[in-house]
């Protein structure tokens, strides 16, 4: 169960963020701000205490705060070393470190030559799947696994190909249930899980967000919404159109623990 989250207000520089979908155009900042406010409101409605950090104008992608740290339930947070050069210094922001220090006595850090975006890290209980991608390398994964094992947790590597982050294609809900893109339907690392397989025309909906029995799902993907409801979950819908334009989705807009 989650009790706490940290989010960051979108910066006006968001419109210049990293994008894998330039054909969708740049986001509307004012609309993105309203959508983010609704996102935080939903987290609070679902029982989380949410700390919202101020915008960081020097970092267009800083609203995607999940890539700044891995927050575990066992007394340790791991500050990342993001894979994109333009995001590398986000983790040095004092308000991020102060917010983590309020909740964690032990804070570790990934160091050079490791690079990692925690959007590549899928938590299932005390086990962590770490996607090896363009943003996350073996050196970082090895460091993280060593830290996890020192605190009674485990981790393993999963090769990621053709996508930005592992959680673009695989998201854990609860009760051994995964939401997966078709490319991961038969992946051996996830053979023992129940799978909600998302059709290609609703691909963006893979990245839905489980919060204490309820799943937050992006609007406009009725087949995925129905499949999640049929699996026994309550669903809350949210419009994240402006974040989709810069390859942003639900899990990456908060740190949850």
């Amino acid at each position: 169960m989650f009790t706490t989250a940290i989010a960051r207000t979108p910066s006006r520089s968001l419109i210049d963020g990293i994008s894998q979908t330039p054909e969708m155009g740049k986001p509307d900042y004012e609309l993105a701000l309203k959508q983010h406010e609704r996102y935080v409101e939903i987290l609070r409605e679902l029982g989380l205490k949410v700390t919202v950090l101020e915008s960081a104008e020097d970092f267009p992608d800083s609203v995607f705060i999940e890539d700044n740290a891995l927050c575990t339930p066992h007394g340790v947070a791991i500050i990342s070393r993001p894979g994109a050069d333009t995001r590398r210094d986000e983790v040095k922001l004092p308000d991020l470190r102060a917010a983590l220090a309020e909740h964690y006595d032990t804070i570790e850090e990934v160091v050079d030559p490791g690079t990692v975006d925690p959007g590549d890290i899928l938590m299932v209980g005390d086990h962590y799947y770490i996607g090896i991608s363009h943003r996350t390398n073996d050196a970082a994964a090895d460091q993280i696994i060593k830290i996890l094992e020192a605190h009674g947790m485990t981790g393993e590597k999963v090769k990621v190909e053709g996508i930005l982050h592992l959680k673009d294609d695989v998201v854990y809900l609860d009760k051994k249930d995964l939401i997966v893109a078709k490319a991961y339907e038969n992946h051996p690392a996830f053979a023992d899980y129940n799978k909600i397989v998302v059709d290609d025309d609703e691909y963006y909906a893979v990245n839905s967000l489980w919060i204490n029995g309820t799943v937050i799902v992006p609007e406009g993907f009725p087949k995925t919404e129905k499949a999640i409801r049929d699996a026994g979950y309550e669903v809350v819908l949210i419009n994240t159109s402006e974040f989709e334009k810069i390859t942003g989705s639900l899990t990456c807009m908060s740190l949850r623990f």
Side-chain angles (χ1 to χ4, degrees), residues 117-131:
D117 287 1
D120 273 319
I121 303 178
L122 178 70
M123 181 181 76
V124 181
D126 291 336
H127 188 70
Y128 293 76
Y129 295 93
I130 303 173

Side-chain angles (χ1 to χ4, degrees), residues 47-167:
L48 274 60
K49 180 180 179 181
V50 185
T51 297
V52 182
L53 306 181
E54 292 185 0
S55 60
E57 290 298 332
D58 290 341
F59 301 101
D61 297 283
S62 57
V63 64
F64 305 127
I65 196 171
E66 183 186 50
D67 286 327
N68 291 170
L70 176 64
C71 295
T72 80
H74 293 287
V76 59
I78 306 171
I79 293 177
S80 70
R81 187 168 181 266
D85 290 343
T86 57
R87 303 198 64 187
R88 190 71 45 83
D89 287 342
E90 284 179 26
V91 301
K92 298 178 182 179
L93 291 167
D95 58 352
L96 168 71
R97 290 174 177 258
L100 290 172
E102 286 186 12
H103 301 282
Y104 288 96
D105 292 329
T106 302
I107 299 177
E108 304 278 4
E109 294 193 44
V110 172
V111 298
D112 188 37
T115 63
V116 57
D117 287 1
D120 273 319
I121 303 178
L122 178 70
M123 181 181 76
V124 181
D126 291 336
H127 188 70
Y128 293 76
Y129 295 93
I130 303 173
I132 304 303
S133 69
H134 291 299
R135 299 287 182 85
T136 300
N137 62 20
D138 284 287
D142 291 341
Q143 293 177 40
I144 291 168
I145 290 170
K146 184 176 180 180
I147 295 168
L148 292 173
E149 291 177 345
H151 292 270
M153 296 168 279
T154 56
E156 68 178 276
K157 303 176 192 178
V158 178
K159 182 66 177 176
V160 171
E161 296 179 343
I163 54 175
L164 183 62
H165 291 138
L166 176 63
K167 283 190 290 195

Side-chain angles (χ1 to χ4, degrees), residues 207-248:
N207 196 278
S208 296
L209 176 58
W210 180 92
I211 300 288
N212 303 340
T214 295
V215 183
I216 308 171
V217 180
E219 287 183 0
F221 304 97
K223 291 182 291 184
T224 305
E225 176 191 346
K226 182 178 185 301
I228 293 170
R229 291 187 189 276
D230 289 348
Y233 297 96
E234 296 292 326
V235 168
V236 175
L237 298 177
I238 184 171
N239 186 342
T240 54
S241 61
E242 302 315 291
F243 298 99
E244 184 179 3
K245 293 176 181 177
I246 48 172
T247 327

Side-chain angles (χ1 to χ4, degrees), residues 23-34:
E23 69 279 1
M24 298 184 71
K26 290 189 176 185
D28 177 316
Y29 173 72
E30 297 299 333
L31 181 54
L33 193 61
K34 290 178 181 178

